[in-house]
């Protein structure tokens, strides 16, 4: 069982930066860890994934602006977000799954997910 706790959300002006953190407990070494987001009335989106093979994946909407990193020693996952846009406003969830989190069907549940942290860009 994997437990995920997010932190670092908040409000920021367009063009600004924000870093989200996720503390990981439980055995997650064989999982891809990443970030999902969901805005009201919109489908869930896989934003970024630090995959179990060491690769990283990003949604097209955030490429070049977001960076995911995984500190296995600290058991922490990060999402550095820059050049934020109002359309980035959403609840961001730290997640773990056997598959690349950016490739998941948004209609299907993810393996493990945190409670979420709100990011608001105005």
């Amino acid at each position: 069982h994997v437990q995920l706790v997010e932190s670092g959300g908040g409000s920021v002006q367009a063009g600004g930066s924000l870093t989200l953190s996720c503390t990981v407990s439980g055995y997650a070494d064989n999982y891809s860890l990443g970030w999902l987001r969901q805005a009201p009335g919109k489908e869930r989106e896989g934003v970024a994934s630090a995959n179990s093979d060491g690769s990283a994946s990003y949604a097209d909407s955030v490429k070049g602006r977001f960076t995911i990193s995984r500190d296995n020693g600290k058991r922490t996952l990060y999402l550095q977000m820059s050049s934020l846009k109002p359309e980035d406003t959403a609840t961001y969830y730290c997640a773990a799954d056997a598959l690349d989190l950016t490739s998941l069907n948004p209609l299907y549940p993810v393996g493990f997910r945190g409670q979420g942290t709100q990011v608001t860009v105005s």
Side-chain angles (χ1 to χ4, degrees), residues 38 56 104:
Q38 189 158 22
L104 296 179

Side-chain angles (χ1 to χ4, degrees), residues 50-122:
N51 301 313
S52 56
D53 64 358
S55 64
S57 305
Y58 297 93
D60 288 343
S61 57
V62 306
K63 278 181 183 174
R65 301 189 297 121
F66 289 13
T67 302
I68 191 170
S69 59
R70 183 172 177 170
D71 185 334
N72 289 329
K74 293 183 179 179
R75 300 185 64 79
T76 304
L77 183 74
Y78 302 97
L79 184 68
Q80 295 173 285
M81 306 184 291
S82 61
S83 301
L84 283 162
K85 305 174 182 180
E87 51 264 44
D88 293 318
T89 296
T91 301
Y92 284 70
Y93 299 93
C94 182
D97 198 272
L99 302 176
D100 182 332
L101 286 149
T102 63
S103 68
L104 296 179
N105 185 320
L107 299 179
Y108 288 94
V110 67
F112 301 95
R113 197 190 76 174
Q115 291 299 307
T117 186
Q118 178 68 34
V119 172
T120 302
V121 185
S122 58

Side-chain angles (χ1 to χ4, degrees), residues 36-56:
L36 310 173
R37 69 183 180 187
Q38 189 158 22
K42 293 189 176 180
E43 263 189 353
R44 189 187 76 197
E45 180 181 25
V47 174
S49 186
N51 301 313
S52 56
D53 64 358
S55 64

